Every structure is written in C-alpha cells, then in structure tokens.
Amino acid sequence: MSTKRKANVSKKIVLEAINDAFKKLNPKVMARNPVMFVVEIGFVITLLLSIFPALFGGISERGYNIAVTIILFVTIIFANFAEALAEGRGKAQANSLKKTKQDTKARLILKDGSIKIVDATELRKGDTVLVKANDLIPTDGDVIEGVAAVDESAITGESAAVIKESGGDFSSVTGGTKVISDYIKVKVSTDPGESFLDRMINLVEGAKRQKTPNEIALSTLLVSLTLIFLLVCTTLVPIASYIKVTLPIATLIALLVCLIPTTIGGLLSAIGIAGMDRVTQYNVIAKSGKSVEAAGDINTIILDKTGTITHGNRMAAALFPVNGISQEELNKFAVYSSLHDETPEGRSVIKFAKKSGLSEKELDKNGTEGIEFTAETRMSGTDFTDGKKVRKGAVDAIIENILYQGGKVPSDLKDISDKVAMQGGTPLVVIEGNRVLGVIYLKDTVKPGMKERFDELRKMGIKSVMCTGDNPLTAATIANEAGVDDFIAEAEPEDKISVIKREQAEGKLVAMTGDGTNDAPALAQADVGLAMNTGTNAAKEAANMVDLDSDPTKIIEVVAIGKQLLMTRGALTTFSIANDVAKYFAIIPAMFMLAIPQMKALNIMGLATPQSAILSALIFNAIIIPLLIPLAMKGVKYVPMSATRLLTKNLSLYGLGGVLVPFIGIKFIDLILVMFRVA
C-alpha cells in the first residue's frame, strides 16, 4: 500500500497567499475568471460612487455605498486567496525540488575516452557522463555501463536506495539523485531545461496548468449564468422606473453579485489546483489537470500481473516427487540444483528444503560448479567433480533433454506439472543425469489486500483487466485469486494496445500502468497512463502521470482522487447555485417592499430593513468563500457508490444545505447589523 505525504499549509504559505491575493487584483489576471471579474467591475463602480457621491446619486447614500464597496473588495480578496493558497502548496513542493538542482559538475566522457569536468548545464542530449559514488547525477539519462545504488530520496522521499544498471527497465536515472556506491556511465537523454525535474517543478508550480474539459464546460455554464443574471438586473431598472421605484446603483450591483455563482466562481480554480496537489501528496506527478480529471471517469484499468498484482518473485511453495522417488531424495537434489542459483527463486528452494529438515552438509559447495540458466537451454544446475549432473528447468526443456539422453519420462510427471499450473504456479522439473526426480512448485503470490482493492474498483463501476505472459491456466488461477474481472494470458505489447483500443471504441476511458519501453505505446494510447519512476525514459515520456514511488497499484488512489475532484466541483457548484434561492428572498423584497407593501410577504426571514437585508446577503456571499476553502482544498470524501445514490446524496446534502445555510447565515448577520446599528 502506498504512503501518502502530508500536505502542510504553513504560516509562510498563508502569508504569501495573502500577498498574492492582492497581486491578483490586476484586471488582466482577474479577466481569466469572468465571474470574479464582474465582481471586480462592480467594486470599481461602487468605489467611484463612494468617492464621488454627488456625481452618482447623492451624499445620503455614501455610507451604504462604502459598505457595499468594502464587502465586494473582501469578496474578491477571499476568492483570490483561495486560488493563491492552492498554488502556494504546489510552490512549496517546487521549492523543495529546486534544492536538488545545484550547480552540479559532470564528468563528460569525450570521444577519445578522456574525462572533462563541465557544468551540468553544458550537457546535451547524447553526451555520456561518468558518475561515481557520492556524485549527484547531473541530468536525466540511461545507464549504459555499470551497476550502482542510487539515492532518489530528494525526489521520491523514499530513503531506500534503488539499484540502477544498464539494460532492462531499471536503467533510467533522474537528474538531482545521488549515486551512493560503485559507478555508472550515463547517456544524457535531455537538453538543459527539459529534464524530468525541470518539468516537475513547472507542473507543481502550476505555471503550465491549463483548464480541463470539465472545468472549461463548467466555466462556460458559470459565464452563461452571469450573463443571464446581468440581463435580469438590467431589466429591473425600467421595471422599477415604471412603478416609480428608485433602485440605487449599489443595490443593483449587490443583487447581481449575490445572484451570480460567485462561490463556485471563486473556488473553481482552487479546486483544480488542489486536485493536482492531492495527487502529488501520493508522490505522483500529473503532467496535466486533464489526466487527473480523466482518472475520475475511468471505466477500465489495465494492470500487469508481475510486480503489480503479485509480488513478482516466484517462491518455492512445495516439492512433488514422481513415483519411485522419496521426498527426502527430491529435497536433497532440489537443493543441489540451486546451490549456485542466487536468484530469489533459487534461494527460496534452499529455504524451503531447510524447513523440511535438510542438513547443513548438503549445502556444501566444495567440489561443485554452477551452471547458469540460458534462454537456449532453459535449465540451470550444478556439476559435481564426481561426474554427477543435477539440473532444474522448464518441463518441456527437461523432457526434451531426457529423451535426448535416452531416458524415460515418468508417467505422472505431466499430471504433477499440470496440477501446479492449475494452482497458478510455475513447475520446474528436477533431474539427476537422465533420471527425473520430481517437480518444484514455484508460486508468485498475490499481494495482500488486492482482492479487496479490486472489489473497491468494482463498486466504483471500474473493470479490471490483468495482463500476463503466463499460460492461460496459470493466468486464470491468479486472476481468480486476485479477484480481477478479466485477464489476458500470454500477452504481448500489441495485446495491451488492442484491449485499450477496443475499450475506447466502446466509449470507455482506460487507465494503464507500465514501466518498460515496450509499455510506452500502450501508456500513450491510454486515457490515463501511469509510468513508474524506476522505468525507462520512453515509458515516462509516453505516460501522462509518473509515480515517484514506482508502485503500480497506486493507480487506484489516482482514480479515487480523480473522482473526488469531480465530486468536489459538482458539490460546490450545487451548493453555490442553491445559495441563490435564499439571496433572492433576502434582496428582492428589500428592493421593492417600501414602494410595494405586498412584497413584505416574501420577506420570510423577517430581515429588519432593506439596507440590512442587502448588506447581510452581500456579507454572507463574501464570507462563505473562505469558509469553503478547506473543503475545496481537501475535497469531498469519496465513498464508492452508484451514480444514482451519489446524485441523491449530493442533492440532499449540498443542494438542500445550499438553500438552508444562507437562510440561517443571512438572518444571523442581519441580527448583528441591527444590534450594532450598522444598517
């Protein structure tokens, strides 16, 4: 299970957010948020009314105009503060990442093989550098020679070192990390300013954050509502004139500001930024807000079996002797076949046999020579000086070897190996010379809690598909044990792309995890591609998210965060629009009840005076924004449930709550204003 970083909002971040809130008053910045830009225009108008009352309506309304001006100003500042606070947490993380970018020196290997010390900023794509123990890796690249332990804690926060070596999926290294043992030669894969660390800093700072499709659609709705209410407020002027009612300009502006969706307008950007920030708390870097949002709508998740659903290291779970061979003899020769096998599988055979009571003298390597596994033979083992040869290997390879030597294949060997495969294991046959002794049952165990996690996905309405290179029998057993919905056996890279395209053709959104170069095409094809930081640069480039902890199962947390982001945005939008009902009953009667006494019937809150009613609604409209900032930052708690239940819950909690809370809040503020005779 992945660990979550704590997102702190320090005093320094708050102070910087307050400062940034005032900087964002720049009209060019405010224009990016049309709803709050309208509020700022209203503020400017009421400010002029306050400064030049004689020109815009008379001295008698100056105090009222000043009060409206102050409240509008506070409303804008609170909205700007919400966005600045969300950005501040990202900037704080960016600053911690920048500490890893030092004036690093690099050992550049020239064409003649000589070494030249240069600044890391001088390195270009294709250069080769030598990095020794205690050196910082100067920039992103791939290991082309050597093996070394690398400390990636500056980026991942994880103290355990990671082994990096040439070839395979663990050759990629990141600039700013530190070699703590041995040496490696690294081929530079990026030019200055384009490294993974540079892009991470830009992303968490929000410098390149763009609105997501959902956010754009919601912004369009908010602008449309703003234009509608602007039209409504404008038409009130001739209506009021017809019934001989004078409406102060400040009152019309107050009505407009209260009716347009200022609450969600002020929090919309903060919700999006906070969503990306919540992903980084899990040590996942999202390359765009779109990927986080898409995760919330995922229908299908493609996961590798090895290392994702299972532990990845096959361990000896049992030893099955064939007819005529004792358990003790098989145990002894299984250990002989693994004396020089330093792989986890080989060590597990010896460990299992020792538990069965094997004596230590059988582990003596004197007079023996190890035979390594090769792709051609698909066997490994031990040769003894007395001529004895012990091997273990794949069933078909061993059978072919036995027949070649003129030996006999035991009649029960196939039944035993099939039984192992049906249980989700890998059978390895042990032989001495041309004599078959039995089968080692290697099992790649499912990680604890995986079945529960897939049940959780199922409750979210998400289909899980396991990809594995295992045979169909083994794949089916593991799939059943893990609880996935479907599986693809003997999978090739092309199979992953095919299943993604097939799901997308049905209108579904697909997520996938991967780390190898062969995963890159599928990661690029998926709507949400989560690459492992320990993987290749090709995989990280193709994906739209990178997990710094290299935990493939973290895609489940990413999906939950995406759904939480969409729920938070929907909940606060519902609450904001529902607010207008109470504000309508506060302001409309206040505007007309002096001229039309019958309008008092709509003053169901019993607000004291027209001015106190308008100011109370306006004050509530301002203070509700900072009160909702914690919810926007933390997000609405997501609990897996059906869409119908989720809609019912949101309407009852945020819809009904959005109607009732303003009634209570506006009445309370009105009582305070009357108590202190403010209005």
Side-chain angles (χ1 to χ4, degrees):
M1 187 68 67
S2 56
T3 56
K4 179 182 177 183
R5 280 186 175 179
K6 186 177 179 181
N8 294 315
V9 179
S10 64
K11 181 180 179 181
K12 181 181 178 182
I13 291 176
V14 172
L15 292 176
E16 288 180 353
I18 293 173
N19 183 50
D20 287 344
F22 284 91
K23 290 180 180 178
K24 289 177 179 289
L25 290 172
N26 185 332
K28 290 183 179 179
V29 177
M30 293 296 297
R32 299 174 190 166
N33 187 337
V35 176
M36 297 313 300
F37 186 53
V38 168
V39 179
E40 185 174 49
I41 293 173
F43 158 71
V44 172
I45 294 173
T46 56
L47 179 63
L48 292 174
L49 291 173
S50 303
I51 298 173
F52 307 107
L55 297 176
F56 297 96
I59 301 293
S60 61
E61 297 178 357
R62 186 170 193 174
Y64 173 65
N65 292 340
I66 290 174
V68 173
T69 301
I70 293 172
I71 298 170
L72 292 181
F73 180 74
V74 172
T75 303
I76 300 166
I77 290 298
F78 282 159
N80 288 349
F81 175 75
E83 182 177 29
L85 189 63
E87 291 174 345
R89 294 201 299 185
K91 289 178 180 177
Q93 185 178 4
N95 289 335
S96 67
L97 292 172
K98 285 177 181 177
K99 291 178 181 178
T100 65
K101 285 179 65 65
Q102 305 173 5
D103 295 330
T104 309
K105 298 293 183 181
R107 296 183 177 90
L108 176 63
I109 302 177
L110 302 179
K111 291 183 179 181
D112 61 3
S114 61
I115 303 292
K116 180 182 179 182
I117 305 299
V118 299
D119 289 331
T121 54
E122 297 179 27
L123 296 175
R124 295 293 182 271
K125 187 175 182 178
D127 288 344
T128 302
V129 295
L130 173 66
V131 190
K132 297 182 178 180
N134 299 317
D135 286 349
L136 284 176
I137 296 174
T139 187
D140 294 359
D142 294 294
V143 178
I144 58 173
E145 182 181 319
V147 180
V150 177
D151 178 5
E152 297 185 328
S153 60
I155 293 176
T156 66
E158 177 59 53
S159 57
V162 179
I163 302 300
K164 297 288 186 176
E165 57 185 330
S166 60
D169 293 341
F170 292 89
S171 61
S172 172
V173 291
T174 305
T177 56
K178 187 177 182 179
V179 173
I180 58 176
S181 72
D182 304 300
Y183 80 93
I184 48 176
K185 288 183 180 179
V186 177
K187 186 174 183 179
V188 177
S189 60
T190 61
D191 289 324
E194 298 176 357
S195 70
F196 180 57
L197 189 57
D198 288 315
R199 282 182 283 128
M200 282 172 57
I201 292 170
N202 285 333
L203 289 165
V204 297
E205 280 183 327
K208 297 182 179 179
R209 196 189 86 88
Q210 297 180 356
K211 289 185 178 181
T212 63
N214 182 280
E215 195 173 347
I216 291 171
L218 184 54
S219 296
T220 303
L221 173 63
L222 299 184
V223 170
S224 300
L225 289 174
T226 301
L227 291 174
I228 290 171
F229 285 120
L230 180 61
L231 182 62
V232 169
C233 292
T234 303
T235 56
L236 282 177
V237 176
I239 293 173
S241 177
Y242 178 76
I243 60 176
K244 297 187 172 27
V245 173
T246 302
L247 295 179
I249 296 176
T251 297
L252 284 170
I253 291 173
L255 175 64
L256 175 62
V257 169
C258 284
L259 292 185
I260 64 176
T262 49
T263 305
I264 185 63
L267 295 172
L268 183 59
S269 182
I271 293 169
I273 296 170
M276 290 184 69
D277 179 65
R278 281 196 293 277
V279 173
T280 63
Q281 290 172 36
Y282 282 94
N283 261 4
V284 174
I285 298 298
K287 295 184 180 181
S288 69
K290 183 179 179 180
S291 59
V292 180
E293 186 179 286
D297 285 328
I298 285 300
N299 305 106
T300 306
I301 291 183
I302 313 292
L303 304 103
D304 280 330
K305 185 206 78 171
T306 307
T308 302
I309 295 173
T310 63
H311 283 291
N313 292 328
R314 298 175 302 173
M315 303 297 180
L319 297 174
F320 298 115
V322 296
N323 289 334
I325 303 296
S326 68
Q327 186 70 58
E328 292 74 18
E329 185 177 13
L330 173 59
N331 290 354
K332 181 174 68 173
F333 279 92
V335 167
Y336 288 166
S337 71
S338 304
L339 280 178
H340 297 273
D341 186 352
E342 297 298 327
T343 65
E345 291 91 339
R347 296 299 90 198
S348 73
V349 171
I350 293 177
K351 184 178 179 180
F352 183 84
K354 287 174 70 174
K355 284 183 180 179
S356 303
L358 195 74
S359 63
E360 288 292 330
K361 70 176 184 178
E362 304 293 351
L363 302 178
D364 186 8
K365 295 182 182 180
N366 289 329
T368 67
E369 179 186 355
I371 304 300
E372 293 186 1
F373 174 88
T374 66
E376 290 77 18
T377 64
R378 290 192 293 158
M379 293 185 292
S380 64
T382 305
D383 285 351
F384 291 77
T385 53
D386 63 3
K388 183 167 53 183
K389 298 179 184 292
V390 182
R391 299 285 186 272
K392 68 173 188 287
V395 178
D396 56 344
I398 291 292
I399 290 176
E400 184 180 338
N401 180 271
I402 290 291
L403 295 177
Y404 179 77
Q405 296 184 64
K408 291 185 178 181
V409 178
S411 59
D412 59 340
L413 178 62
K414 186 177 186 304
D415 291 338
I416 295 174
S417 59
D418 285 348
K419 177 184 176 182
V420 169
M422 288 180 66
Q423 293 176 353
T426 301
L428 290 183
V429 181
V430 180
I431 60 173
E432 187 267 318
N434 64 357
R435 187 168 63 109
V436 177
L437 303 171
V439 175
I440 300 173
Y441 172 18
L442 292 180
K443 185 178 181 182
D444 186 2
T445 57
V446 174
K447 292 180 178 178
M450 289 305 299
K451 196 175 186 69
E452 291 75 14
R453 305 202 82 187
F454 287 122
D455 285 340
E456 184 180 342
L457 284 174
R458 206 168 289 111
K459 290 177 183 177
M460 295 179 184
I462 299 172
K463 175 185 175 183
S464 54
V465 180
M466 179 187 79
C467 285
T468 176
D470 291 337
N471 63 70
L473 201 58
T474 302
T477 303
I478 294 292
N480 182 62
E481 186 177 344
V484 296
D485 298 311
D486 198 1
F487 67 90
I488 302 173
E490 300 176 342
E492 299 290 339
E494 295 78 11
D495 297 324
K496 297 176 183 178
I497 297 178
S498 296
V499 71
I500 291 173
K501 288 183 176 179
R502 185 174 69 243
E503 293 288 316
Q504 289 173 333
E506 296 174 3
K508 299 177 182 178
L509 296 185
V510 183
M512 184 194 161
T513 64
D515 58 4
T517 300
N518 62 346
D519 290 327
L523 287 168
Q525 179 67 37
D527 299 283
V528 177
L530 180 65
M532 304 299 101
N533 190 42
T534 53
T536 62
N537 279 318
K540 289 190 284 188
E541 287 290 339
N544 50 24
M545 290 187 183
V546 178
D547 176 21
L548 302 180
D549 294 330
S550 300
D551 175 7
T553 63
K554 204 180 290 183
I555 189 69
I556 298 175
E557 273 86 9
V558 172
V559 169
I561 291 171
K563 289 187 176 295
Q564 185 184 42
L565 169 64
L566 295 175
M567 280 184 57
T568 303
R569 193 178 287 154
L572 291 182
T573 301
T574 303
F575 184 87
S576 177
I577 295 175
N579 270 207
D580 290 343
V581 176
K583 296 170 190 173
Y584 172 86
F585 279 102
I587 296 180
I588 295 297
M591 293 173 67
F592 293 102
M593 65 185 178
L594 291 179
I596 310 174
Q598 292 85 349
M599 292 289 285
K600 289 182 180 179
L602 295 176
N603 185 21
I604 60 178
M605 285 183 274
L607 303 177
T609 67
Q611 285 191 334
S612 73
I614 292 168
L615 292 178
S616 297
L618 205 56
I619 291 172
F620 175 84
N621 192 66
I623 64 175
I624 196 65
I625 294 176
L627 291 178
L628 290 175
I629 288 177
L631 181 61
M633 300 283 280
K634 186 178 180 180
V636 174
K637 184 178 180 181
Y638 174 71
V639 179
M641 64 179 70
S642 67
T644 303
R645 284 186 59 198
L646 186 60
L647 178 62
T648 303
K649 178 184 175 182
N650 277 348
L651 288 177
S652 59
L653 182 60
Y654 297 101
L656 186 60
V659 173
L660 296 179
V661 170
F663 272 95
I664 298 170
I666 291 172
K667 179 60 179 178
F668 180 73
I669 295 169
D670 180 72
L671 292 174
I672 294 176
L673 292 178
V674 173
M675 185 185 303
F676 291 97
R677 300 184 184 279
V678 175

